[in-house]
């Protein structure tokens, strides 16, 4: 039956057992089993629950009870967790965050914290009402190169930052995956300017130690979707890859039966909820953009130009900071991945890092970076140690609160509003943050 759980161990319940959840429960079972334990698993789908249960117990973790979503309150009452880890579909994050706090638990939530202003306000109000804590898992803050950028800017090496150009590329493996799954519906994810860009906008907030003030944006669906494919001369289409002869020759198709984890989490589970993880990226029903450009002015008067492309030939980002004392340039090439399609530790690992400091009236200086192991450029492992390991002082202040979570999505929410209206959006008009 497994070991008796020590009363000194921190107790975690997890809601949402899809692809990202494995990072958390696997880490607790493998690396932090002496200090942490998972006491309950919750999901809308029993097949996925059973899979998660089998994976964590195979690592030697004591047996874990499972609960369907309707029994969330029952799980909290019976298992008495200290903290709830939320890794559900984005549009339901706030439901579990708020309810967990009302039931006396702190919360660790995947990004984005939520997808719109009313849900964001609910979370802020619940924190104030319950005095519980929300941590948002912005792992990119913890990547060594992103921490180094923060350190250089904080040191004053380029003076006061006046402007930033930030270009993020998702390639046709990773980028396409958002158009196969639930993210393709803006009602689920808030679009990529909320779901994906929350990482990027949080980095800017973190690097500048500031918040967005005004936002203007444009965005379009230019590559994915049936209409775009038809205009490029495509004549054969399919709704989903599984069982489709047409999909066999499509390099954008995802074949669930060819990957054990994808098959177990999704193909074997779809009879319960009808969720198809392998939809065609060139089908109808896509309501998010794949090409986005955003102009942001921050409260400290720095200006950001930002672009996100979801069909690039390579994966990674370029960012340039102009300051009164010089310029800082970075290029990070990342390994791409399909969520739940391989080892989580390899996801988003940096393939190459170039960081160049150009002080005014001086020779350029190449900044050396010790690359971290693991996903998201080495940030995942550092974040997980910060979440589940011994509490240690962090001179970089990388732990993200609910206010950080709100500030990161507000840029994307304001950008979405700007795309709809064609107007500049003042962030404080939609939500004022402390």
């Amino acid at each position: 039956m497994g070991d008796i759980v020590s009363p000194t161990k921190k107790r975690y319940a997890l809601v949402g057992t899809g692809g990202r959840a494995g990072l958390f429960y696997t880490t607790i079972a493998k690396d932090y089993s002496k200090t942490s334990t998972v006491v309950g698993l919750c999901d809308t789908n029993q097949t996925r629950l059973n899979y998660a249960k089998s994976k964590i117990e195979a690592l030697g973790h004591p047996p874990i009870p499972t609960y369907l979503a309707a029994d969330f309150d029952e799980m909290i009452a019976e298992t008495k967790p200290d903290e709830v880890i939320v890794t559900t579909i984005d549009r339901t994050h706030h439901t579990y965050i708020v309810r967990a706090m009302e039931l006396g638990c702190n919360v660790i939530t995947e990004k984005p914290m939520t997808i719109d202003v009313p849900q964001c306000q609910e979370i802020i109000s619940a924190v104030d009402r319950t005095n519980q804590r929300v941590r948002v898992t912005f792992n990119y803050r913890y990547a060594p190169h992103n921490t180094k950028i923060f350190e250089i800017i904080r040191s004053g090496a380029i003076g006061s930052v006046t402007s930033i150009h930030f270009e993020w590329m998702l390639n046709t493996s990773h980028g396409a995956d958002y158009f196969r799954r639930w993210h393709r519906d803006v009602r689920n994810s808030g679009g990529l300017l909320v779901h994906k860009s929350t990482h990027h906008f949080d980095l800017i907030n973190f690097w500048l130690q500031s918040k967005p003030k005004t936002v203007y944006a444009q965005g379009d669906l230019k590559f994915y979707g049936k209409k775009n494919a038809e205009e490029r001369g495509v004549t054969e289409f399919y709704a989903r890859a599984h069982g489709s002869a047409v999909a066999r020759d499509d390099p954008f198709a995802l074949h669930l039966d060819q990957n054990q984890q994808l098959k177990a989490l999704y193909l074997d589970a779809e009879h319960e909820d009808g969720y198809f993880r392998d939809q065609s990226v060139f089908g109808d029903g896509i309501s998010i953009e794949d090409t986005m450009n955003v102009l942001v002015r921050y409260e400290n008067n720095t200006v950001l130009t930002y672009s996100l492309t979801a069909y690039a030939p390579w994966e990674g980002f370029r960012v340039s900071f102009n300051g009164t004392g010089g310029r800082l340039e970075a290029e990070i090439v990342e390994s791409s991945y399909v969520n739940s399609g391989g080892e989580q530790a390899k996801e988003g690992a940096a393939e190459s890092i170039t960081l160049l400091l150009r002080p005014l009236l001086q020779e350029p200086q190449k900044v050396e970076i010790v690359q971290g192991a693991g996903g998201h450029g080495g940030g995942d492992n550092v974040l997980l140690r910060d979440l589940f390991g011994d509490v240690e002082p962090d001179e970089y202040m990388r732990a993200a609160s609910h206010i950080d979570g709100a500030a990161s999505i507000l840029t994307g929410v304001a950008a979405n509003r700007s795309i709809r209206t064609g107007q500049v959006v003042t962030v404080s008009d939609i939500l004022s943050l402390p």
Side-chain angles (χ1 to χ4, degrees):
M1 290 294 291
D3 298 330
I4 297 173
V5 175
S6 167
T8 61
K9 289 188 178 184
K10 183 168 279 191
R11 302 167 65 84
Y12 294 92
L14 186 144
V15 56
T17 55
R20 191 64 180 162
L23 176 72
F24 295 99
Y25 64 67
T26 299
T27 295
I28 290 173
K30 288 176 63 177
D31 302 323
Y32 299 100
S33 60
K34 292 182 179 179
T35 57
S36 306
T37 186
V38 179
V39 296
L41 297 170
C42 184
D43 199 290
T44 57
N45 189 294
Q46 188 63 52
T47 302
R48 273 195 292 277
L49 279 168
N50 294 343
Y51 178 76
K53 177 180 170 69
S54 69
K55 291 289 284 186
I56 190 170
E57 291 176 4
L59 295 170
H61 192 284
I64 305 170
T66 64
Y67 299 82
L68 289 172
D71 301 319
F72 179 78
D73 285 18
E74 180 183 337
M75 176 181 71
I76 301 300
E78 291 183 355
T79 66
K80 297 178 173 56
D82 301 301
E83 302 202 14
V84 173
I85 301 171
V86 178
T87 53
T88 61
I89 191 171
D90 293 353
R91 65 175 168 80
T92 64
H93 280 188
H94 77 291
T95 300
Y96 296 107
I97 292 171
V98 170
R99 189 60 182 147
M101 288 192 289
E102 290 174 342
L103 295 173
C105 303
N106 290 324
V107 177
I108 296 170
T109 183
E110 256 297 332
K111 61 82 194 167
M113 184 175 75
T114 187
I115 64 171
D116 63 28
V117 169
Q119 294 176 2
C120 194
Q121 186 60 70
E122 282 188 49
I123 293 170
I124 293 171
S125 298
V127 171
D128 293 340
R129 185 174 70 252
T130 65
N131 291 316
Q132 301 297 142
R133 185 185 71 244
V134 176
R135 283 279 303 270
V136 185
T137 56
F138 285 127
N139 36 19
Y140 270 112
R141 288 185 176 204
Y142 293 82
H145 49 275
N146 292 329
T147 300
K148 177 59 72 172
I149 288 171
F150 172 80
E151 189 177 9
I152 291 170
I153 292 172
R154 185 178 63 173
S155 75
I158 62 170
S160 298
V161 179
T162 56
S163 65
I164 304 171
H165 181 66
F166 195 3
E167 180 185 16
W168 202 288
M169 282 72 63
L170 298 168
N171 70 9
T172 50
S173 172
H174 186 189
D177 207 41
Y178 294 109
F179 297 82
R180 299 187 186 106
R181 45 191 170 127
W182 54 262
H183 305 73
R184 75 208 307 257
D185 187 338
V186 70
R187 296 171 298 181
N188 290 330
S189 64
L192 290 181
L193 284 172
V194 171
H195 174 82
K196 183 61 181 174
S197 299
T198 187
H199 265 319
H200 316 152
F201 296 140
D202 175 70
L203 278 176
I204 297 294
N205 297 343
F206 169 64
W207 286 329
L208 294 179
Q209 294 294 291
S210 189
K211 296 184 179 72
K213 183 177 180 181
T214 60
V215 178
Y216 176 74
Q218 296 184 350
D220 297 283
L221 186 67
K222 290 181 176 289
F223 182 77
Y224 300 109
K226 189 172 184 179
K227 181 176 180 292
N228 291 320
E230 288 174 335
E231 290 176 352
R232 293 194 296 271
V234 177
T235 58
E236 293 186 305
F237 296 91
Y238 58 93
R240 61 171 306 195
H242 186 66
S244 169
V246 175
R248 293 174 191 163
D249 298 322
D250 180 10
F252 289 88
L254 180 66
H255 301 287
L256 300 175
D257 56 357
Q258 295 178 13
N259 180 281
Q260 185 273 331
Q261 186 165 312
L262 287 172
K263 180 178 182 295
L265 278 174
Y266 302 108
L267 187 61
D268 294 346
E270 64 188 32
H271 67 279
E272 290 191 43
D273 53 22
Y275 171 55
F276 299 143
R277 175 66 175 77
D278 60 346
Q279 297 174 81
S280 170
V281 300
F282 300 118
D284 287 324
I286 296 172
S287 56
I288 64 173
E289 299 83 15
D290 57 21
T291 310
M292 293 139 281
N293 300 88
V294 185
L295 182 65
V296 186
R297 182 178 294 276
Y298 288 82
E299 291 179 355
N300 69 356
N301 221 32
T302 303
V303 175
L304 166 73
T305 55
Y306 168 84
S307 70
L308 176 64
T309 303
Y311 48 91
W314 66 281
E315 178 100 359
F317 68 94
R318 293 190 179 109
V319 61
S320 301
F321 302 83
N322 297 303
T324 56
R327 177 178 167 93
L328 179 64
E329 302 170 352
E331 178 178 288
I332 286 80
V333 180
E334 293 186 346
S335 302
S336 67
Y337 64 95
V338 174
N339 187 40
S340 310
E343 290 294 325
Q344 293 278 343
K346 296 179 181 177
E347 293 185 358
E351 290 183 345
S352 68
I353 300 170
T354 303
L355 190 57
L356 192 64
L357 175 62
R358 298 180 181 272
L360 287 181
L361 308 177
Q362 299 178 41
E363 290 297 311
Q365 306 168 19
K366 186 175 181 180
V367 180
E368 297 298 328
I369 302 291
V370 178
Q371 185 172 335
H376 290 89
D380 282 3
N381 289 345
V382 186
L383 168 68
L384 293 166
R385 185 168 64 247
D386 193 30
L387 289 172
F388 304 120
D390 294 331
V391 178
E392 297 178 0
D394 180 9
E395 65 170 304
Y396 305 111
M397 303 171 290
R398 291 172 292 190
S401 70
H402 67 293
I403 297 301
D404 297 315
S408 72
I409 69 160
L410 281 178
T411 307
V413 168
N416 284 336
R417 181 174 294 191
S418 180
I419 290 170
R420 292 195 304 270
T421 64
Q423 303 298 311
V424 175
V425 176
T426 300
V427 173
S428 62
D429 288 346
I430 58 178
L431 183 64
S432 183
L433 294 176

